[in-house]
Amino acid sequence: MSFLWGVMGGPSAGPQPSGAETIQKLCDRVASSTLLDDRRDAVRALKSLSKKYRLEVGTQAMEHLIHVLQTDRSDSEIIGYALDTLYNVISNDLEEEEQEENLTKVDDLGSQFTEIFIKQHENVTLLLTLVEEFDFHVRWPGVKLLTSLLKQQGPQVQQIILVSPMGVSRLMDLLADSREVIRNDGVLLLQQLTKSNAAIQKIVAFENAFERLLDIVTEEGNSDGGIVVEDCLLLLQNLLKNNNSNQNFFKEGSYIQRMKPWFEVGDDNCGWSAQKVTNLHLMLQLVRVLVSPTNPPGATSSCQKAVFHCGLLQQLCTILMATGVPADILTETINTVSEVIRGCQMNQDYFASVNAPSNPPRPAIVVLLMSMVNERQPFVLRCAVLYCFQCFLYKNQKGQGEIVSTLLPSTIDATGNSVSAGQLLCGGLFSTDSLSNWCAAVALAHALQENATLKEQLLRVQLATSIGNPPVSLLQQCTNILSQGDKIDRRGSKVQTRVGLLMLLCTWLSNCSIAVTHFLHNPANIPFLTGQIAENLGEEEQLVQGLCALLLGISIYYNDNSLENYRKEKLKQLIEKRIGRENFIEKLGFISKHELYSRAAQKPQPGFSSPEHMMFDHEFTKLVKELEGVISKAIYKSSEEDKKEEEVKKTLEQHDNIVTQYKKVIREQDQELEELKQRITTLMSQNEQLQATVTQQVSQIQQHKDQYNLLKVQLGKDTQHHNSHGDMFQMNGIQTEEVSKLKEELEEWKNKHELLQGQIREKDFLIEKLKSSQLEIGTTELSSQSSRSGGLDHSNELQKELEMLRSQLQLQSAEISQLLIENQKLQVMNTTADPVLGDSGAIVAKSSELEGQLEQQIKELKSEVKALSEEKESLKQHLDSSSSTVAILQDEKIKLQQEVAESKKEQDDLLVLLADQDQKLSALKIKLKDLGVPVEDEDDIESGDQGDEDEDVEEEEQD
């Protein structure tokens, strides 16, 4: 221990050893000591020397330190010292004084030691296992060391971690650590790990990184949080930028909705700290990563829709129109809103409806254009507004029409109370600020992009130049300013103004023969263009020459030969005489060879370092690519080739007309097919309903048949019982008491017969009622429906009464069976009384008289039975007739229900049409009000009419 005491600063008798010698002895101590305490003290001493003697410790001790990590894992203290020592050796994060002294050596040392460490892949794997340890003294140094390795040799370390089992997953656990220091350094580690490696980015994303990072941002206070929020946002950008899979996963996981609270900025907007500005800037950039124009169109479109539906676009527009927002945040917000609405019709429509909180309220587009044409605004902000306007008009014919309509004579506000977008663009186009000229020209060109109808409508715009002079068209005014460019005093580059006007004219005249004719109608335009192209000017003017050549080529290519003096052939001859074809093509090639042209062609956003570099627009570069080759070919074509080309165009137009006619026929046939399919479906449904009703009716008929057969069988049994009852009476002996009982029963039968006749009368009355109600059907659909329901109710009552009759018949059959039993008893008594009857003659005489009486009574009973059977038959007939009337009523009810359903359908269609008309009227009224046209509502008209009536009444009273 005396040796270590000398190293740590204790007194020593001999001369002091050098740093290299001390480190060598410490390394030997680490390698040879058997006691853990000795090795720990030696490693601690190496740690203390590692910053001052970085090279010596790295070259001599690295192998021994790695051996300690492998063998002494049970002791967390020595492991922590070893990791700290390796971090000091590999890391370049030295103090400022040392960095100034050893600035050149620092980077080389860190990368060299890192290369030595990762040469054995097992070292990185060992480090990953140590990072899994929960002990703070092991885990935190391990995280810092791994982060330093990734900074020095990122791709190599990434590959080692990627191929190691569960390598990325182990590091993801750092985000769940409860100790903020480790969690925050874990975020920094993942930042380095995910740089430019799509495979690791996907693994990290699918390890639930988005959820954990968004939770950390929320816990730290969103945009008001500290540097931890900044680190999390940078990691999110690494995971999402140029990674379509992760972007889709982020959108599908509904994480876009969780970004909305980030942009909830208070009304006061005071206290914008530097960290808050940085956080909000990164948050806006993260939104832009999701909706960037460089992403696949489908992914961008789906993210744009998600941003709108979750209310994030509304939140961004609120920041856009708020006061007190820092300039850089406002600029980035404008750029973000631009890319959120670019090419998305729904978002563009919403942005067009946003109003600034001013008095009177103005559209946000107008307010932004005011900033664009105001030369006092920062250059970066003006570029952002121009980009926003371009994105608003991108693939938005509706928005283009609204902008151009503000320039047309019929829609200009005569009172001058409100400033329109068209007036601002014209003001910027003709101002003395060259940057405003360029921005207004490019903005107006985007309003005409790929829209031939608007190009024709813009020809109607007339401008009042001065009092007393006639108005001049916008096209003529642009060419006048172009020709007088050098004579007008301007702030900024004169070339910039001319380039902007030439880009506007090229966009305007391309693919619009009428505009070309208007342009050629001015006799000064062609000589000006040829003069500009033919001159030998400096490098700055070469760009103007190239654009003049492009404009002249467009005038030739899209010329319809309507002007005799400026036909295609004559213009080509003019180029041949004045300029020369080769010289013309060379001047035309100046555009695409220019450095600023290649910069503008890279991305849609205008990214200019200074106003002087603001020359080309991204969409215009596409137009140049499209027209450069075509114009070169058109210049060398002969008149015969032109004629052939015109003939081919005519035939193509004819073919196009034929194709359009066929398309119309096909559309009509498709509509007819759709209508027929709908009719088939309705008929199929009606057929199914009818089949269901038929099956119900068949089952009901079968039930009625079964009931009829039962009644028939029961009536046959009743007749048999009566006949057998009469025979028994003839065979039985003479007993007066039994005869009296039979008479009483006959009386009861008569009473029941009268009751049945009364019920039959009631049924006849009901049937007559049904017939009379059936004749009254047809007055109105609703009354007919109610009568049908009444008839059905009566038929139900008849069925109930029939069931009552059946129950009565069953009771009668039961009584007949009782009579048969009594008859059998009488037979038994008759056999016992036979000897007594044979003895006396008087009794025989009396019995003969009684037999005669019984025969008469039996005859009467037979006649009554016949009458009952006839009445039953009549009841059957009534039942049959009632069932037929019920079936007829059911058929009529079905027909009436169909008619009612059709009438309801027609009423619903009328109501839908009325509702659509009301909505259209209200929308038109709103549009008219927005355009400044006075529109009276119905309530106002009624109140006005009422007021006029009141005035008339008062005048009459005064008279």
Side-chain angles (χ1 to χ4, degrees):
M1 294 300 290
S2 61
F3 173 73
L4 286 175
W5 180 255
V7 171
M8 298 304 291
S12 60
Q16 294 292 331
S18 64
E21 292 174 355
T22 305
I23 291 165
Q24 182 62 46
K25 290 176 181 178
L26 289 171
C27 291
D28 294 339
R29 193 75 172 175
V30 172
S32 60
S33 286
T34 55
L35 291 175
L36 181 60
D37 291 338
D38 291 345
R39 291 199 303 274
R40 188 189 302 121
D41 291 337
V43 174
R44 186 191 295 117
L46 286 171
K47 177 189 170 185
S48 63
L49 295 170
S50 59
K51 286 187 178 180
K52 188 174 181 180
Y53 300 101
R54 182 182 177 193
L55 178 62
E56 290 80 3
V57 173
T59 52
Q60 298 181 35
M62 183 177 287
E63 187 178 349
H64 301 293
L65 292 171
I66 293 171
H67 184 70
V68 167
L69 295 178
Q70 293 171 347
T71 56
D72 292 331
R73 290 185 59 184
S74 59
D75 185 57
S76 61
E77 193 174 355
I78 192 172
I79 294 292
Y81 292 148
L83 291 171
D84 283 333
T85 307
L86 287 170
Y87 172 74
N88 292 336
V89 169
I90 290 172
S91 174
N92 289 330
D93 300 334
L94 300 177
E95 295 180 359
E96 293 182 1
E97 296 178 359
E98 296 179 0
Q99 282 187 355
E100 291 174 0
E101 293 174 1
N102 305 318
L103 192 59
T104 55
K105 298 180 181 178
V106 165
D107 293 336
D108 293 338
L109 277 179
S111 59
Q112 287 173 8
F113 287 138
T114 304
E115 195 171 348
I116 294 168
F117 185 83
I118 66 172
K119 196 170 185 180
Q120 298 294 327
H121 293 180
E122 293 81 8
N123 296 339
V124 180
T125 308
L126 174 64
L127 194 55
L128 289 174
T129 56
L130 291 172
V131 167
E132 280 188 295
E133 296 289 336
F134 187 74
D135 194 325
F136 181 81
H137 297 290
V138 176
R139 197 171 206 183
W140 188 39
V143 171
K144 291 196 295 181
L145 177 57
L146 194 54
T147 307
S148 184
L149 291 172
L150 285 163
K151 283 181 181 178
Q152 300 297 333
Q153 298 286 339
Q156 292 87 341
V157 180
Q158 285 175 343
Q159 195 61 33
I160 296 168
I161 293 173
L162 191 60
V163 297
S164 66
M166 298 292 291
V168 179
S169 301
R170 294 176 190 175
L171 299 177
M172 283 301 299
D173 294 336
L174 297 172
L175 295 179
D177 201 304
S178 59
R179 295 160 293 193
E180 289 190 3
V181 177
I182 294 178
R183 184 199 68 184
N184 299 341
D185 282 347
V187 173
L188 296 174
L189 169 60
L190 290 172
Q191 275 184 28
Q192 299 298 326
L193 182 65
T194 55
K195 274 185 179 178
S196 306
N197 194 311
I200 293 177
Q201 288 168 3
K202 289 179 184 178
I203 296 170
V204 171
F206 283 96
E207 288 284 345
N208 207 18
F210 293 137
E211 184 77 28
R212 296 181 185 180
L213 291 171
L214 292 173
D215 288 341
I216 294 170
V217 171
T218 306
E219 290 169 8
E220 295 291 327
N222 295 328
S223 61
D224 294 320
I227 197 168
V228 180
V229 174
E230 180 183 348
D231 294 335
C232 290
L233 293 171
L234 288 170
L235 177 54
L236 284 169
Q237 281 191 19
N238 283 355
L239 294 174
L240 292 172
K241 198 167 187 177
N242 300 325
N243 195 318
N244 301 327
S245 173
N246 283 2
Q247 289 173 7
N248 188 44
F249 181 65
F250 192 83
K251 179 184 69 70
E252 295 295 334
S254 301
Y255 296 119
I256 293 177
Q257 287 82 335
R258 295 187 60 180
M259 298 168 71
K260 185 185 175 185
W262 295 356
F263 304 100
E264 291 176 355
V265 181
D267 296 332
D268 51 355
N269 291 334
C270 61
W272 287 82
S273 64
Q275 187 61 54
K276 181 174 181 179
V277 171
T278 304
N279 291 344
L280 203 55
H281 202 274
L282 289 170
M283 289 170 177
L284 291 167
Q285 285 182 350
L286 193 62
V287 178
R288 292 185 66 186
V289 166
L290 294 170
V291 295
S292 174
T294 57
N295 294 341
T300 301
S301 176
S302 59
C303 287
Q304 286 173 334
K305 290 175 183 175
V307 168
F308 175 77
H309 288 305
C310 73
L312 184 53
L313 176 59
Q314 294 85 327
Q315 203 71 41
L316 292 172
C317 290
T318 304
I319 298 174
L320 195 67
M321 294 291 108
T323 56
V325 180
D328 52 348
I329 293 297
L330 183 61
T331 303
E332 192 63 24
T333 305
I334 294 171
N335 288 327
T336 306
V337 171
S338 305
E339 294 183 353
V340 169
I341 66 173
R342 188 176 189 269
C344 182
Q345 187 67 50
M346 177 174 59
N347 294 0
Q348 288 167 341
D349 292 342
Y350 171 76
F351 185 69
S353 66
V354 175
N355 287 324
S358 58
N359 192 15
R362 289 173 175 168
I365 298 169
V366 173
V367 175
L368 290 174
L369 286 176
M370 286 179 178
S371 302
M372 186 184 76
V373 298
N374 186 358
E375 54 187 302
R376 296 177 184 175
Q377 295 292 338
F379 171 67
V380 182
L381 180 64
R382 297 174 75 180
C383 290
V385 173
L386 177 62
Y387 184 47
C388 184
F389 191 73
Q390 291 173 353
C391 292
F392 171 67
L393 296 178
Y394 183 71
K395 293 183 179 179
N396 183 11
Q397 292 191 353
K398 180 183 175 184
Q400 288 176 327
E402 290 172 355
I403 297 298
V404 172
S405 67
T406 59
L407 286 165
L408 299 178
S410 58
T411 56
I412 293 174
D413 187 8
T415 60
N417 293 331
S418 61
V419 181
S420 66
Q423 291 171 349
L424 288 170
L425 290 175
C426 281
L429 195 63
F430 307 129
S431 74
T432 56
D433 178 34
S434 61
L435 186 58
S436 297
N437 300 152
W438 191 91
C439 291
V442 170
L444 198 55
H446 275 264
L448 303 175
Q449 200 80 35
E450 298 178 358
N451 201 324
T453 55
L454 293 182
K455 292 176 183 178
E456 295 175 9
Q457 287 184 12
L458 201 64
L459 295 170
R460 296 165 44 204
V461 176
Q462 300 289 323
L463 302 173
T465 53
S466 59
I467 300 171
N469 292 328
V472 181
S473 68
L474 178 62
L475 183 66
Q476 182 63 42
Q477 185 66 15
C478 290
T479 54
N480 291 342
I481 294 172
L482 190 62
S483 60
Q484 300 170 3
D486 295 334
K487 300 175 185 178
I488 300 172
D489 242 359
R490 296 186 186 279
R491 289 180 298 276
S493 172
K494 294 179 181 179
V495 174
Q496 193 175 41
T497 300
R498 298 169 74 186
V499 168
L501 288 169
L502 284 167
M503 285 196 296
L504 172 61
L505 290 172
C506 290
T507 307
W508 194 348
L509 268 61
S510 64
N511 204 17
C512 185
S513 300
I514 298 172
V516 171
T517 305
H518 278 71
F519 178 76
L520 295 175
H521 200 270
N522 186 357
N525 288 338
I526 294 300
F528 168 74
L529 292 178
T530 54
Q532 287 287 318
I533 299 166
E535 287 183 10
N536 291 321
L537 303 172
E539 291 185 3
E540 290 184 358
E541 296 291 334
Q542 284 183 353
L543 193 55
V544 176
Q545 285 184 322
L547 290 169
C548 288
L550 180 66
L551 184 58
L552 184 57
I554 290 170
S555 302
I556 294 171
Y557 185 72
Y558 292 105
N559 192 349
D560 58 356
N561 295 327
S562 57
L563 294 175
E564 186 63 32
N565 294 332
Y566 296 104
R567 297 174 65 85
K568 286 184 179 181
E569 192 60 34
K570 290 187 176 180
L571 291 174
K572 289 180 187 177
Q573 292 173 2
L574 185 66
I575 290 172
E576 182 68 30
K577 291 178 182 177
R578 296 277 181 89
I579 306 166
R581 291 181 182 176
E582 290 78 9
N583 192 19
F584 179 85
I585 299 300
E586 183 185 355
K587 297 289 175 71
L588 184 63
F590 284 163
I591 303 172
S592 56
K593 292 176 183 177
H594 204 279
E595 181 186 357
L596 298 175
Y597 174 89
S598 58
R599 283 187 194 174
Q602 289 175 1
K603 58 181 181 178
Q605 183 182 358
F608 305 108
S609 57
S610 64
E612 291 77 20
H613 294 157
M614 209 169 187
M615 287 293 175
F616 285 109
D617 172 56
H618 179 74
E619 292 297 325
F620 182 73
T621 59
K622 293 181 181 178
L623 182 68
V624 173
K625 285 179 185 176
E626 181 184 345
L627 293 177
E628 189 176 5
V630 174
I631 290 170
S632 300
K633 289 179 182 177
I635 294 298
Y636 284 102
K637 279 182 182 176
S638 62
S639 58
E640 294 178 356
E641 290 175 347
D642 286 336
K643 287 179 182 178
K644 288 180 180 178
E645 190 174 349
E646 287 178 1
E647 290 176 359
V648 170
K649 284 183 179 179
K650 287 180 181 178
T651 53
L652 287 172
E653 287 176 358
Q654 291 176 357
H655 284 302
D656 289 338
N657 293 329
I658 293 168
V659 169
T660 51
Q661 289 177 359
Y662 278 120
K663 283 181 179 178
K664 287 181 181 178
V665 172
I666 290 167
R667 285 195 198 97
E668 292 173 358
Q669 289 178 351
D670 286 338
Q671 290 177 356
E672 290 177 359
L673 282 171
E674 288 295 328
E675 291 175 357
L676 289 171
K677 285 179 181 178
Q678 290 177 357
R679 287 182 64 186
I680 287 168
T681 52
T682 52
L683 290 171
M684 289 280 284
S685 61
Q686 290 177 0
N687 187 19
E688 289 175 357
Q689 292 176 357
L690 290 172
Q691 284 181 352
T693 52
V694 165
T695 53
Q696 289 178 358
Q697 289 178 355
V698 167
S699 63
Q700 289 177 359
I701 289 166
Q702 189 63 38
Q703 288 176 0
H704 287 306
K705 284 182 179 180
D706 295 338
Q707 292 172 1
Y708 173 72
N709 291 327
L710 285 170
L711 288 171
K712 198 171 183 181
V713 171
Q714 288 175 358
L715 287 170
K717 285 181 180 179
D718 290 339
T719 53
Q720 289 176 3
H721 283 306
H722 281 295
N723 291 330
S724 63
H725 185 65
D727 294 337
M728 288 293 178
F729 251 103
Q730 288 179 357
M731 292 173 66
N732 284 338
I734 302 160
Q735 288 187 358
T736 56
E737 293 176 358
E738 296 295 328
V739 171
S740 63
K741 286 181 182 178
L742 288 171
K743 285 180 180 179
E744 290 174 359
E745 287 176 358
L746 282 172
E747 289 294 330
E748 289 176 2
W749 279 106
K750 285 179 183 178
N751 293 330
K752 290 177 182 178
H753 177 63
E754 288 175 359
L755 286 170
L756 289 170
Q757 282 182 344
Q759 290 175 357
I760 289 166
R761 289 191 198 96
E762 289 177 0
K763 291 173 188 173
D764 290 332
F765 181 71
L766 289 170
I767 289 166
E768 290 297 323
K769 269 190 176 180
L770 287 170
K771 287 179 180 178
S772 63
S773 64
Q774 184 178 0
L775 292 171
E776 291 173 1
I777 290 170
T779 57
T780 60
E781 292 178 356
L782 295 172
S783 62
S784 64
Q785 191 174 2
S786 62
S787 65
R788 293 303 181 276
S789 62
L792 287 172
D793 293 334
H794 288 306
S795 64
N796 291 328
E797 290 175 3
L798 283 173
Q799 288 181 355
K800 289 178 182 178
E801 289 173 357
L802 284 171
E803 290 176 358
M804 293 279 291
L805 286 173
R806 287 175 197 152
S807 61
Q808 289 177 1
L809 286 172
Q810 289 176 358
L811 289 170
Q812 288 175 2
S813 62
E815 289 175 355
I816 289 168
S817 62
Q818 286 179 359
L819 287 172
L820 287 170
I821 294 166
E822 291 175 356
N823 193 6
Q824 289 176 358
K825 290 179 181 178
L826 288 171
Q827 283 181 356
V828 173
M829 292 171 69
N830 192 12
T831 52
T832 54
D834 279 340
V836 178
L837 290 170
D839 291 338
S840 61
I843 292 169
V844 170
K846 288 179 182 178
S847 64
S848 61
E849 290 177 1
L850 287 168
E851 286 177 358
Q853 291 175 359
L854 285 170
E855 285 177 358
Q856 289 178 357
Q857 290 177 354
I858 286 165
K859 286 178 182 178
E860 290 175 357
L861 286 169
K862 284 182 179 180
S863 63
E864 287 177 359
V865 167
K866 284 180 182 178
L868 285 170
S869 62
E870 290 174 357
E871 287 175 359
K872 286 181 180 177
E873 288 177 357
S874 65
L875 281 172
K876 288 179 186 177
Q877 292 175 357
H878 283 302
L879 283 171
D880 294 335
S881 63
S882 64
S883 63
S884 62
T885 54
V886 166
I888 292 165
L889 289 170
Q890 285 179 347
D891 293 335
E892 291 178 353
K893 178 189 173 185
I894 291 165
K895 290 177 182 177
L896 287 169
Q897 284 177 347
Q898 291 176 354
E899 292 174 359
V900 169
E902 289 175 358
S903 65
K904 282 183 180 178
K905 213 172 193 179
E906 292 175 357
Q907 289 176 356
D908 292 337
D909 294 338
L910 287 171
L911 287 171
V912 170
L913 287 171
L914 287 171
D916 290 338
Q917 287 181 354
D918 288 339
Q919 288 179 356
K920 289 178 182 176
L921 284 171
S922 61
L924 288 170
K925 285 179 181 178
I926 291 166
K927 285 183 180 178
L928 288 171
K929 286 179 181 178
D930 292 337
L931 293 169
V933 178
V935 179
E936 293 184 352
D937 295 334
E938 293 180 358
D939 298 336
D940 298 337
I941 294 167
E942 290 177 1
S943 63
D945 295 341
Q946 187 66 33
D948 294 339
E949 290 175 3
D950 295 340
E951 289 175 2
D952 294 338
V953 170
E954 289 176 359
E955 288 175 1
E956 288 176 1
E957 288 177 355
Q958 288 174 2
D959 294 338

